[in-house]
Amino acid sequence: MTAHLSPALLVLEDGTVHRGVEFGAVGQTLGEAVFCTAMTGYQETLTDPSYARQIVVATAPQIGNTGWNDEDDESRGDRIWVAGYAVRNPTRRVSNWRASGTLEGELVDQGVVGIGGIDTRALVRRLRDNGSMRAGIFSGDALAPEAELLDRVRSQPEMKGRNLIGEVSTGEAYTIDPVLSGGAEPRFTVVAVDLGIKTNTPRMFAERGMRVHVVPSTITLDEVRSFNPDGFFLSNGPGDPATAEHEVELTRGVLDAGLPLFGICLGNQLLGRALGLQTYKMKFGHRGINIPVVEDSTGRISITAQNHGFALEGERGDEFDTPFGRGRVSHVCANDGVVEGVELLGGRAFSVQYHPEAAAGPHDAAYLFDKFATVMGTTSGDK
């Protein structure tokens, strides 16, 4: 850190104050304070739309050493979606051949307020012990007496009950075509609902010869049918799944039509709700790229990338009746038993809570895209 940097404060809704220095843009930002345990991939984290309205605390002590590049963004328009960023030791030198700029420079350019030089270990312990909570970062002219800053923090809405899908979803449909040789036709056509989709997800489909129509979250079932798809995909995204009534009804319509369905993250919660399960807000969530998940039917363990603060109710091995056939909990977290996947026993619909497209790694779960292709291949004649 350098002596000329101006002071900054991070204030939690329980009154805890962390003092540091400005990092990125100067001013005020409000959001839910959460922590991410990933040691790498901060660019992918910051540009993940699932982090909308959240202040991310990095558990890794040094952040920014690989700079910022033109290839690793995970959102349309290369936008940073986090509300704020809190780090221990912002690196003062970039050392990576792919870097086109610095992390702090990008935060400044995009107006993202951050804080450096704080004891992130103490902050993370508080969030683990007491749960994710509303917070604010303040610097420059936004600084004020701590009591006033605390009032600002507490005046913002809580994450529970917030519908943020409309803030992150695309306004217009667009298509990602596969790269094919010899005039080959796409293997399958997939309609992917953008609930906060990451750019690597359509790329993973395209690499497997699929054409992907990425569509707004407001799409109707008739509009889905107009694409004559072989499969339907529900993406990741932010906010409380209990508020996503339109998307749940759309999912039920797709299931009733018999279209193969694959979902991840928020998409997993929406499929679960469509099957009759309830959701709840977790104490501090799962955010990182090192989280073990157990597949119940095989005992197979995958190390996964995750970013979620809500989850489906249930336990490993649970089976239940749904209007679309028998369903079950297919995956759970090895750390705490949280539901990490659900499916219909017939195999036509399945989803996982983690991110098999993980651009920053790990890639243990990439096989799920191939599994979806297999499902579409066995049912394509039923459309």
Side-chain angles (χ1 to χ4, degrees):
M1 306 304 298
T2 53
H4 71 277
L5 292 177
S6 300
L9 297 180
L10 185 149
V11 180
L12 298 177
E13 69 172 285
D14 67 357
T16 302
V17 177
H18 289 265
R19 293 172 173 81
V21 296
E22 64 182 60
F23 177 56
V26 175
Q28 169 181 303
T29 189
L30 301 172
E32 180 188 44
V34 300
F35 61 88
C36 176
T37 61
M39 298 291 289
T40 61
Y42 59 78
Q43 182 166 338
E44 290 89 342
T45 294
L46 296 177
T47 55
D48 178 355
S50 295
Y51 280 111
R53 302 287 181 172
Q54 292 180 320
I55 294 173
V56 175
V57 182
T59 61
Q62 187 178 62
I63 295 293
N65 58 306
T66 57
W68 197 269
N69 64 60
D70 298 325
E71 303 172 34
D72 291 343
D73 294 315
E74 281 296 316
S75 61
R76 300 183 317 279
D78 302 337
R79 174 175 172 176
I80 294 176
W81 280 99
V82 303
Y85 202 28
V87 303
R88 171 72 182 106
N89 181 21
T91 185
R92 286 178 278 178
R93 179 176 297 175
V94 171
S95 179
N96 188 275
W97 65 275
R98 297 171 68 231
S100 57
T102 67
L103 167 59
E104 183 165 26
E106 194 67 25
L107 293 173
V108 171
D109 290 346
Q110 297 203 33
V112 179
V113 177
I115 186 171
I118 64 172
D119 186 348
T120 50
R121 293 173 301 176
L123 176 53
V124 169
R125 283 197 300 268
R126 180 160 289 275
L127 296 176
R128 282 182 60 90
D129 291 344
N130 299 284
S132 300
M133 62 185 81
R134 293 172 294 178
I137 300 175
F138 309 92
S139 57
D141 293 341
L143 288 171
E146 292 178 10
E148 179 181 332
L149 300 182
L150 182 58
D151 286 342
R152 297 181 199 172
V153 168
R154 291 175 174 172
S155 68
Q156 66 179 303
E158 297 182 351
M159 186 60 68
K160 185 174 182 178
R162 298 193 74 175
N163 189 327
L164 300 177
I165 295 172
E167 294 186 14
V168 300
S169 182
T170 181
E172 297 181 356
Y174 59 94
T175 301
I176 304 295
D177 283 316
V179 178
L180 302 169
S181 59
E185 290 294 316
R187 293 174 63 197
F188 303 107
T189 297
V190 175
V191 169
V193 180
D194 180 5
L195 310 169
I197 199 167
K198 295 163 70 174
T199 56
N200 201 44
T201 303
R203 188 182 303 128
M204 295 285 277
F205 284 122
E207 288 173 354
R208 290 161 173 78
M210 306 179 203
R211 173 176 288 136
V212 185
H213 299 291
V214 183
V215 299
S217 62
T218 54
I219 193 169
T220 66
L221 183 59
D222 286 341
E223 290 170 333
V224 170
R225 288 192 176 110
S226 71
F227 289 99
N228 193 30
D230 300 291
F232 180 80
F233 176 76
L234 290 166
S235 81
N236 61 289
D240 187 343
T243 66
E245 297 302 332
H246 166 76
E247 292 80 7
V248 171
E249 285 304 312
L250 175 63
T251 301
R252 290 181 179 133
V254 168
L255 292 171
D256 195 51
L259 195 63
L261 186 152
F262 175 28
I264 65 172
C265 197
L266 180 58
N268 175 65
Q269 296 158 5
L270 298 185
L271 175 58
R273 285 197 58 202
L275 297 179
L277 300 181
Q278 300 297 312
T279 59
Y280 66 95
K281 192 175 191 304
M282 303 169 70
K283 185 174 182 180
F284 51 80
H286 295 162
R287 298 176 180 87
I289 60 175
N290 52 1
I291 299 171
V293 168
V294 181
E295 183 177 35
D296 182 60
S297 62
T298 65
R300 173 177 179 172
I301 296 178
S302 296
I303 303 301
T304 68
Q306 298 195 22
N307 171 19
H308 65 108
F310 293 85
L312 291 169
E313 293 184 349
E315 298 181 0
R316 180 175 179 175
D318 281 355
E319 291 192 10
F320 47 91
D321 291 322
T322 83
F324 317 101
R326 192 80 170 156
R328 70 177 172 190
V329 172
S330 58
H331 298 73
V332 296
C333 180
N335 290 337
D336 55 16
V338 167
V339 174
E340 296 282 355
V342 293
E343 64 184 358
L344 289 177
L345 294 186
R348 193 182 289 260
F350 67 96
S351 60
V352 293
Q353 187 61 62
Y354 47 95
H355 288 252
E357 85 296 336
H363 302 134
D364 295 23
Y367 74 92
L368 291 169
F369 290 93
D370 299 307
K371 176 181 177 178
F372 190 43
T374 299
V375 173
M376 288 188 288
T378 59
T379 60
S380 58
D382 299 336
K383 288 194 298 179

